[in-house]
Amino acid sequence: MIDYRLVITAMFAGGALLELAWGRFLFREQTTAKDLALDLGAGLGLPILVLPVIMTSSAAATEAIAPGSANALAGWPAWAMFVTLLIADDLTQYWWHRASHTWPRLNLLHRAHHSAEYLSIRVVYRNNLLYYAMMPGLWLSGVLLHLGFAPVYYVYYIAKMAVIISAHSSVGWDTKLVKIRWLAPLMWVVARTISTPCTHAAHHGKHAADGVTHYHGNYGNFLLVWDVVFGTAKINTERPREFGLEQVEPATWVQELLWPFSRRAQPAALKPAKPEGEP
């Protein structure tokens, strides 16, 4: 059986090579030393440190609460497991992501994901490590893995990561497909079902007034249908010209990656900057 981790690693590598081939991976003009620290620190910290701790801890906690519960739900049909994962993992992540754009303290944990002035697979995991450590969907996934969801979970996780990686890619697969007339009906459905490069690029746009950026919306990670259902979707066929944070005071990579654990990370430094002309 192929290790799902190898499949996901291969997807990241393939995506990176594609961006390199198109000259959209290095972003030398936009990349700073801070960006490199965040891309590498978060990119390695999640799979190497945070995920193993969550999966081990959630399984141990479940067994402690319900002794003998290992594989207790292994007899469920695959479709039921998949639907349960969509709700327990992806729907809860939609609300977690949405909350991180509306709750000031939680926004500090998500700021790193938007501070890059480029959109690339480099930023897929770029978040404060506590953002992931507190994510309900990851803990619930660990519980479900313990209960016997493993075979379906790995298929689900590969599919979800394929969508997330492509949605963050600087080489959008949907930009040309939406212009093909006979594909229009299919692309209409796709754009409202899963997160696509255009809809997610709008979420990362820098300027709210550009007509494309939709920072407070398009929160879905795997499925965009959650945004459609809860009224936060904006379907785009264009990408913003610029990415990043608008009118926000600068912060160090330590503040964005490790707040509130580092003494050097002061929340006051992360407050939105005042608009020009305001005293």
Side-chain angles (χ1 to χ4, degrees):
M1 187 176 185
I2 299 177
D3 191 324
Y4 76 99
R5 290 167 294 191
L6 293 178
V7 175
I8 292 172
T9 301
M11 289 193 298
F12 268 108
L17 289 173
L18 181 62
E19 289 189 347
L20 276 169
W22 283 74
R24 300 177 182 175
F25 180 75
L26 297 177
F27 292 101
R28 290 188 178 92
E29 293 184 2
Q30 295 92 342
T31 300
T32 64
K34 167 190 167 180
D35 290 313
L36 293 176
L38 286 171
D39 290 353
L40 290 173
L44 296 176
L46 174 63
I48 293 177
L49 175 62
V50 178
L51 274 180
V53 170
I54 289 177
M55 295 304 166
T56 301
S57 300
S58 56
T62 305
E63 185 63 23
I65 295 171
S69 58
N71 297 317
L73 302 182
W76 278 25
W79 69 265
M81 291 185 181
F82 198 88
V83 171
T84 300
L85 286 165
L86 284 176
I87 296 172
D89 175 67
D90 201 51
L91 178 55
T92 61
Q93 189 171 359
Y94 163 85
W95 285 108
W96 180 250
H97 187 189
R98 182 170 175 173
S100 74
H101 281 262
T102 55
W103 296 0
R105 289 290 178 177
L106 190 53
N107 184 255
L108 297 178
L109 302 181
H110 186 53
R111 173 183 164 133
H113 193 64
H114 287 272
S115 64
E117 295 195 346
Y118 48 85
L119 185 61
S120 161
I121 64 169
R122 289 167 49 180
V123 306
V124 168
Y125 288 155
R126 179 170 157 154
N127 270 300
N128 183 294
L129 297 183
L130 192 59
Y131 177 83
Y132 289 116
M134 295 171 58
M135 186 177 289
L138 293 180
W139 287 90
L140 290 173
S141 292
V143 171
L144 294 173
L145 277 170
H146 175 75
L147 295 176
F149 278 47
V152 174
Y153 176 79
Y154 297 138
V155 174
Y156 163 83
Y157 191 56
I158 288 171
K160 178 174 180 174
M161 288 307 303
V163 169
I164 292 175
I165 290 171
S166 70
H168 285 84
S169 177
S170 59
V171 183
W173 55 265
D174 58 341
T175 50
K176 292 186 177 180
L177 294 182
V178 296
K179 297 177 182 178
I180 301 176
R181 182 174 300 179
W182 64 270
L183 277 178
L186 175 61
M187 292 304 298
W188 188 94
V189 174
V190 169
R192 288 159 178 79
T193 304
I194 64 172
S195 183
T196 63
C198 279
T199 55
H200 199 67
H203 178 71
H204 278 262
K206 184 173 184 178
H207 302 296
D210 65 9
V212 180
T213 293
H214 188 48
Y215 183 70
H216 290 291
N218 291 4
Y219 300 117
N221 289 269
F222 185 6
L223 300 185
L224 193 84
V225 72
W226 308 128
D227 288 277
V228 174
V229 170
F230 297 111
T232 53
K234 180 178 181 180
I235 309 303
N236 299 285
T237 57
E238 301 178 46
R239 296 168 67 92
R241 292 180 179 273
E242 294 183 79
F243 301 98
L245 296 171
E246 186 176 34
Q247 295 183 343
V248 175
E249 293 179 1
T252 67
W253 71 267
V254 175
Q255 289 173 313
E256 293 193 0
L257 183 65
L258 300 176
W259 181 85
F261 297 109
S262 171
R263 293 181 180 179
R264 291 166 54 194
Q266 299 298 323
L270 301 180
K271 290 181 180 178
K274 294 180 180 179
E276 292 183 9
E278 182 178 321

